[in-house]
Amino acid sequence: MKITFPHMGNIYVPLKTLFESLGCEVILPPPCTKKTLELGVANSPEFACLPLKINIGNFIEAIERGADTIVMAGGVGPCRFGYYGEVQKEILRDLGYDVEMIILEPPRGNFLDLINKIKLITTQNNKTIKDLVRALRFAWKKALLLDNIEKQSSKLRPREIEKGQTDKVYNSLVKRILDVKDETELETLKEEISKAFSKIRVLKNKTPVKVGIVGEIYTVLEPFVNLNIEKQLGELGVEVHRNIYITDWVRENLLPSFLKPKDCKNILKLAEPYINCFVGGHGQESIAQIVNFSKKGFDGVIHLLPFTCMPEIVAKSAIPRVSQKFKIPVMTIVLDEHSAEAGFRTRLEAFIDMICHSKEVKNIAVLSGN
Amino acid sequence: MRIGIPRALFYYQYFPFWKNFFEQLGLEVVLSSPTNKEILKQGLEFCVDDACLPIKIFHGHVADLIGKVDMIYIPRIISIEPKEYICPKFLGLPDMIRNSISNIPHIVDTELNLYKGKNHILDHILNLGKILNIHQTRILFAYFKAIKAQRQFEKLMIEKFVTPQDIIDKRLTFIENQTFKKRRNNIKVLLLGHNYNIYDDYISMGLIRKLRKHNIDLITCEMVTKSQIKEGNKKLSKDLFWTLGKKTTGTAYYFLEHKKVDGIIHVASFGCGPDSLVGELIEKRAKLEYKIPFLYLNLDEHAGEAGFDTRLEAFLDVLEGRKHIEDNISTYG
Ligand code: SF4
Ligand code: SF4
């Protein structure tokens, strides 16, 4: 059995680790490229949302490299993601690929279901529950570490003296984390990481503009789709924070609700005057996080969504009011297969200019007020 | 007290219930005007531009009610069937309206959530009673009256093959004469699509009118029994969680399987999430497995009527050609 799964940012690192620790062979889809996109677009329903299409591209490229089993998350709605797997299964079948598709339906209070599906994969390899727990813990630790280096990098990027150095370090660290084979090695790697980061020379007293990124999870997490927005903003001297990291996604989608952190719910309260209930995906959360970023003193927020993304369209209706009430500039960027790097950079620059300008005005107001 | 009901979205599904319920409670029910140019214009002006056409039109209908009513009924429709949803935009509809239109009358946005079971309709009804400050017994009385009217409405559509608009607009002679048996030779078209698209004469550019003028016998999801839909949906490998999508696939697969229609027209809104996946599933099956002509009509505010008509005419020509050949074969064969 040669397992593969779709890309979404760095999620391939913990997933590969998990399946390999369970004795499966993993074939990673090559990183998303233009070709992935083209394959996906050519073989998916025209009006499906972008993540579905790129998934298809990933699958085809992985199958071509020998994968015969696809692991995919499922869902119970209300959004399209919950039906992705079924549609993708049909597409691949119609294309004549002979692959097995294992769709992990979210537990909804039934955590055992998930364990059973994973066990199905593992018993073939003579693994016990204990092995499974160990594998899960190891993968989880890697995910935490990845989130950690991502957060550190976005702090360093706007402050680095030698441009591009942070990314170099970051990329090599991701590779290191991917290759680590056991938990003790992971512990030693932690030291290596702080050493590597401390070597990056930075402008100590620089206080960069701070921008939060919210929106639909796939577009937030997958740099290929969001045209590397975090890196681009870093180059423009902006410190970037996201509302969601990989570990958040796992917590939300794969853990039973009693294990979810409490502040999740509290934060959603912030959205209620504007979006009063769950609207699928991260629609309500996007609004809550805009409020939250504003409260934490951020200078602006960028809202990302794929073209026709339903929950985020609902969220978008609330943005003008929220932005006005909390005096925080918000720019919405709709991404689709035609998004081009050129115009994108200009838009980012204009937005950052605007933020800097209004920040200056604010500062002057404060100064003259004194 | 005047309560406004936008003539859009679930008006086409629930109007008999809503009207009887509120009138029984002594409220005056005021409908917005039938969709027209002005309503579309207001909808486009107020609504976020990424939304689908029916949601935009809904905004226009709400705007149309401003100044004419004391409150507007925009229930938060989370679910109308156990374990199913409509779509994220329905979940957030009252919010979208509040976020986008200022100075509107009070919005009655009581939640309608039958996800955990049909009996939760009572929660909705009783909460409405609380908001309207009306005693429980009166509310329940009105509810029973309304549900009766609603059932009659649904039954009539199935028995007589008529549309919600035929009934609501009381086209009585038409309904009386509407029986398929007399005209066995007419072309039968399965018209798929969400009720608020196909029955809104303005949005659908008079599609039903035009089909009837060509003497086409129409079947829509509303004219099909629940058990037929259920039978059709057995073909799905995983249960769909969108009520409207499930109605569409069930109807389509049922008729495809029984070879009872000459062609299928699927009307979808541009940018509709559920239909982007559901439509694809059906179109593929219809064309590949059953070789039944399939016309996909995508609606948005830019769709021009001329192009729409041309495509429709061409499609009907194909159906007529096929029918002709079939008839000849059966006469001579
Ligand atoms: S959240 Fe958006 S991108 Fe994700 S499935 Fe739903 S519509 Fe598609
Ligand atoms: S047309 Fe589709 S996307 Fe629009 S409201 Fe209806 S189900 Fe939702």
Short mmCIF file of all heavy atoms in Angstrom, two decimals, chain A residues 80 308 310, chain B residues 9-10 51-55 86-90 93 194 196-197 242 244-245 268-276, ligand 2:
data_model
loop_
_atom_site.label_atom_id
_atom_site.label_comp_id
_atom_site.label_asym_id
_atom_site.label_seq_id
_atom_site.Cartn_x
_atom_site.Cartn_y
_atom_site.Cartn_z
N ARG A 80 -18.88 22.63 1.05
CA ARG A 80 -18.57 21.67 0.00
C ARG A 80 -17.51 20.67 0.41
O ARG A 80 -17.48 19.55 -0.06
CB ARG A 80 -18.08 22.44 -1.24
CG ARG A 80 -19.19 22.96 -2.07
CD ARG A 80 -18.65 23.67 -3.28
NE ARG A 80 -18.48 25.09 -3.03
CZ ARG A 80 -18.25 25.98 -4.00
NH1 ARG A 80 -18.15 25.57 -5.23
NH2 ARG A 80 -18.10 27.26 -3.70
N THR A 308 -15.96 32.12 -5.06
CA THR A 308 -17.26 31.48 -4.73
C THR A 308 -17.27 30.74 -3.39
O THR A 308 -18.17 29.96 -3.13
CB THR A 308 -17.77 30.46 -5.80
OG1 THR A 308 -16.99 29.25 -5.73
CG2 THR A 308 -17.74 31.01 -7.20
N MET A 310 -18.37 29.94 -0.04
CA MET A 310 -19.63 30.36 0.57
C MET A 310 -19.51 30.96 1.98
O MET A 310 -20.00 32.06 2.20
CB MET A 310 -20.61 29.20 0.56
CG MET A 310 -20.93 28.71 -0.85
SD MET A 310 -22.16 27.42 -0.85
CE MET A 310 -21.16 26.02 -0.33
N LEU B 9 -36.27 33.31 -2.42
CA LEU B 9 -35.78 32.12 -1.73
C LEU B 9 -36.91 31.21 -1.27
O LEU B 9 -37.71 30.79 -2.08
CB LEU B 9 -34.84 32.53 -0.57
CG LEU B 9 -33.55 33.24 -1.02
CD1 LEU B 9 -32.67 33.58 0.17
CD2 LEU B 9 -32.75 32.42 -2.03
N PHE B 10 -37.07 30.97 0.03
CA PHE B 10 -38.01 29.95 0.45
C PHE B 10 -39.48 30.37 0.41
O PHE B 10 -40.35 29.61 0.82
CB PHE B 10 -37.62 29.40 1.82
CG PHE B 10 -36.69 28.23 1.68
CD1 PHE B 10 -36.06 27.98 0.46
CD2 PHE B 10 -36.46 27.36 2.73
CE1 PHE B 10 -35.21 26.91 0.30
CE2 PHE B 10 -35.62 26.28 2.58
CZ PHE B 10 -35.00 26.04 1.37
N ALA B 51 -21.77 37.20 -3.92
CA ALA B 51 -22.86 36.27 -3.64
C ALA B 51 -23.53 35.81 -4.93
O ALA B 51 -23.35 36.40 -5.99
CB ALA B 51 -23.88 36.92 -2.72
N CYS B 52 -24.33 34.75 -4.82
CA CYS B 52 -25.04 34.24 -6.00
C CYS B 52 -26.29 35.07 -6.25
O CYS B 52 -26.77 35.77 -5.36
CB CYS B 52 -25.42 32.78 -5.76
SG CYS B 52 -26.27 32.55 -4.19
N LEU B 53 -26.82 34.94 -7.45
CA LEU B 53 -27.94 35.79 -7.86
C LEU B 53 -29.15 35.73 -6.92
O LEU B 53 -29.67 36.78 -6.53
CB LEU B 53 -28.34 35.44 -9.30
CG LEU B 53 -29.44 36.30 -9.92
CD1 LEU B 53 -29.03 37.76 -9.98
CD2 LEU B 53 -29.78 35.81 -11.33
N PRO B 54 -29.62 34.54 -6.51
CA PRO B 54 -30.81 34.54 -5.65
C PRO B 54 -30.60 35.27 -4.33
O PRO B 54 -31.54 35.88 -3.81
CB PRO B 54 -31.09 33.05 -5.40
CG PRO B 54 -29.97 32.29 -5.99
CD PRO B 54 -29.25 33.18 -6.92
N ILE B 55 -29.39 35.23 -3.81
CA ILE B 55 -29.12 35.95 -2.56
C ILE B 55 -29.16 37.46 -2.83
O ILE B 55 -29.70 38.25 -2.04
CB ILE B 55 -27.75 35.54 -1.98
CG1 ILE B 55 -27.75 34.07 -1.54
CG2 ILE B 55 -27.35 36.44 -0.81
CD1 ILE B 55 -28.52 33.76 -0.28
N ILE B 86 -29.12 23.68 4.08
CA ILE B 86 -29.42 24.25 2.77
C ILE B 86 -28.09 24.69 2.16
O ILE B 86 -27.57 24.07 1.26
CB ILE B 86 -30.38 25.44 2.85
CG1 ILE B 86 -31.64 25.07 3.63
CG2 ILE B 86 -30.74 25.93 1.45
CD1 ILE B 86 -32.44 23.95 3.05
N CYS B 87 -27.52 25.74 2.71
CA CYS B 87 -26.16 26.12 2.31
C CYS B 87 -25.68 27.21 3.26
O CYS B 87 -26.48 27.83 3.95
CB CYS B 87 -26.12 26.54 0.84
SG CYS B 87 -26.08 28.30 0.54
N PRO B 88 -24.37 27.44 3.32
CA PRO B 88 -23.85 28.43 4.27
C PRO B 88 -24.51 29.81 4.15
O PRO B 88 -24.68 30.50 5.14
CB PRO B 88 -22.37 28.51 3.92
CG PRO B 88 -22.05 27.16 3.40
CD PRO B 88 -23.28 26.73 2.65
N LYS B 89 -24.89 30.16 2.95
CA LYS B 89 -25.48 31.49 2.80
C LYS B 89 -26.85 31.58 3.46
O LYS B 89 -27.24 32.63 3.94
CB LYS B 89 -25.57 31.87 1.32
CG LYS B 89 -24.19 32.18 0.74
CD LYS B 89 -24.29 32.47 -0.73
CE LYS B 89 -23.02 32.00 -1.42
NZ LYS B 89 -23.19 31.92 -2.87
N PHE B 90 -27.58 30.47 3.45
CA PHE B 90 -28.86 30.47 4.17
C PHE B 90 -28.62 30.60 5.67
O PHE B 90 -29.35 31.28 6.36
CB PHE B 90 -29.63 29.18 3.89
CG PHE B 90 -30.56 29.27 2.73
CD1 PHE B 90 -30.09 29.13 1.44
CD2 PHE B 90 -31.92 29.50 2.92
CE1 PHE B 90 -30.95 29.20 0.36
CE2 PHE B 90 -32.79 29.58 1.85
CZ PHE B 90 -32.31 29.43 0.56
N LEU B 93 -28.00 34.23 6.37
CA LEU B 93 -28.82 35.21 5.65
C LEU B 93 -29.25 36.43 6.49
O LEU B 93 -29.05 37.57 6.05
CB LEU B 93 -30.03 34.52 5.03
CG LEU B 93 -30.83 35.35 4.03
CD1 LEU B 93 -29.96 35.78 2.86
CD2 LEU B 93 -32.04 34.57 3.52
N HIS B 194 -33.01 24.87 -8.15
CA HIS B 194 -33.61 25.29 -6.88
C HIS B 194 -34.90 26.05 -7.16
O HIS B 194 -34.97 26.85 -8.10
CB HIS B 194 -32.62 26.15 -6.11
CG HIS B 194 -31.36 25.41 -5.79
ND1 HIS B 194 -30.28 26.00 -5.19
CD2 HIS B 194 -31.02 24.11 -5.98
CE1 HIS B 194 -29.32 25.09 -5.03
NE2 HIS B 194 -29.75 23.94 -5.51
N TYR B 196 -36.34 28.58 -5.98
CA TYR B 196 -36.33 30.05 -6.08
C TYR B 196 -35.72 30.54 -7.39
O TYR B 196 -35.83 31.70 -7.72
CB TYR B 196 -35.61 30.69 -4.90
CG TYR B 196 -34.33 30.00 -4.48
CD1 TYR B 196 -33.14 30.20 -5.16
CD2 TYR B 196 -34.33 29.12 -3.39
CE1 TYR B 196 -31.98 29.55 -4.77
CE2 TYR B 196 -33.18 28.48 -2.99
CZ TYR B 196 -32.01 28.70 -3.68
OH TYR B 196 -30.86 28.07 -3.30
N ASN B 197 -35.06 29.67 -8.10
CA ASN B 197 -34.57 30.06 -9.43
C ASN B 197 -35.58 29.75 -10.52
O ASN B 197 -35.92 30.60 -11.32
CB ASN B 197 -33.26 29.35 -9.76
CG ASN B 197 -32.07 30.01 -9.11
OD1 ASN B 197 -32.10 31.21 -8.85
ND2 ASN B 197 -31.04 29.25 -8.84
N TRP B 242 -26.99 18.39 1.53
CA TRP B 242 -27.72 19.59 1.11
C TRP B 242 -29.12 19.19 0.67
O TRP B 242 -29.27 18.43 -0.30
CB TRP B 242 -27.04 20.28 -0.06
CG TRP B 242 -25.67 20.77 0.24
CD1 TRP B 242 -25.31 21.65 1.21
CD2 TRP B 242 -24.47 20.44 -0.46
NE1 TRP B 242 -23.96 21.88 1.17
CE2 TRP B 242 -23.42 21.14 0.15
CE3 TRP B 242 -24.17 19.61 -1.54
CZ2 TRP B 242 -22.10 21.06 -0.28
CZ3 TRP B 242 -22.87 19.52 -1.97
CH2 TRP B 242 -21.86 20.24 -1.35
N LEU B 244 -31.52 20.74 -0.95
CA LEU B 244 -31.92 21.02 -2.33
C LEU B 244 -31.13 20.17 -3.31
O LEU B 244 -31.66 19.68 -4.30
CB LEU B 244 -31.74 22.51 -2.65
CG LEU B 244 -32.54 23.46 -1.76
CD1 LEU B 244 -32.30 24.91 -2.16
CD2 LEU B 244 -34.03 23.15 -1.82
N GLY B 245 -29.87 19.95 -3.00
CA GLY B 245 -29.04 19.13 -3.87
C GLY B 245 -29.55 17.70 -3.89
O GLY B 245 -29.58 17.05 -4.93
N ALA B 268 -28.89 26.52 -12.69
CA ALA B 268 -28.12 26.77 -11.47
C ALA B 268 -27.68 28.22 -11.43
O ALA B 268 -27.51 28.85 -12.47
CB ALA B 268 -26.91 25.85 -11.41
N SER B 269 -27.49 28.73 -10.21
CA SER B 269 -26.97 30.09 -10.10
C SER B 269 -25.47 30.03 -10.29
O SER B 269 -24.81 29.14 -9.77
CB SER B 269 -27.23 30.68 -8.72
OG SER B 269 -28.40 30.18 -8.17
N PHE B 270 -24.94 31.02 -10.96
CA PHE B 270 -23.49 31.14 -11.06
C PHE B 270 -22.93 31.27 -9.64
O PHE B 270 -23.43 32.05 -8.84
CB PHE B 270 -23.14 32.38 -11.88
CG PHE B 270 -21.67 32.56 -12.04
CD1 PHE B 270 -20.97 31.80 -12.95
CD2 PHE B 270 -20.98 33.48 -11.27
CE1 PHE B 270 -19.60 31.93 -13.08
CE2 PHE B 270 -19.61 33.62 -11.40
CZ PHE B 270 -18.93 32.85 -12.31
N GLY B 271 -21.91 30.48 -9.35
CA GLY B 271 -21.29 30.59 -8.03
C GLY B 271 -21.99 29.78 -6.96
O GLY B 271 -21.62 29.86 -5.79
N CYS B 272 -23.01 29.00 -7.33
CA CYS B 272 -23.69 28.18 -6.31
C CYS B 272 -22.77 27.05 -5.87
O CYS B 272 -22.33 26.25 -6.68
CB CYS B 272 -24.99 27.62 -6.83
SG CYS B 272 -25.72 26.42 -5.68
N GLY B 273 -22.49 26.99 -4.57
CA GLY B 273 -21.59 25.97 -4.05
C GLY B 273 -22.13 24.56 -4.25
O GLY B 273 -21.50 23.74 -4.92
N PRO B 274 -23.28 24.25 -3.65
CA PRO B 274 -23.80 22.89 -3.79
C PRO B 274 -23.94 22.46 -5.25
O PRO B 274 -23.53 21.36 -5.61
CB PRO B 274 -25.17 22.97 -3.10
CG PRO B 274 -25.01 24.05 -2.09
CD PRO B 274 -24.07 25.05 -2.69
N ASP B 275 -24.51 23.33 -6.08
CA ASP B 275 -24.75 22.92 -7.46
C ASP B 275 -23.46 22.71 -8.25
O ASP B 275 -23.45 21.99 -9.24
CB ASP B 275 -25.62 23.95 -8.18
CG ASP B 275 -27.09 23.54 -8.12
OD1 ASP B 275 -27.35 22.43 -7.60
OD2 ASP B 275 -27.95 24.30 -8.57
N SER B 276 -22.37 23.32 -7.82
CA SER B 276 -21.12 23.15 -8.56
C SER B 276 -20.67 21.69 -8.49
O SER B 276 -19.98 21.21 -9.36
CB SER B 276 -20.03 24.06 -8.01
OG SER B 276 -19.63 23.63 -6.73
S1 SF4 C 2 -28.02 29.29 -5.14
FE1 SF4 C 2 -26.63 27.86 -4.16
S2 SF4 C 2 -25.12 29.14 -3.12
FE2 SF4 C 2 -26.86 30.43 -3.63
S3 SF4 C 2 -28.14 30.38 -1.81
FE3 SF4 C 2 -28.88 28.78 -3.15
S4 SF4 C 2 -27.80 26.94 -2.49
FE4 SF4 C 2 -26.70 28.69 -1.64
#
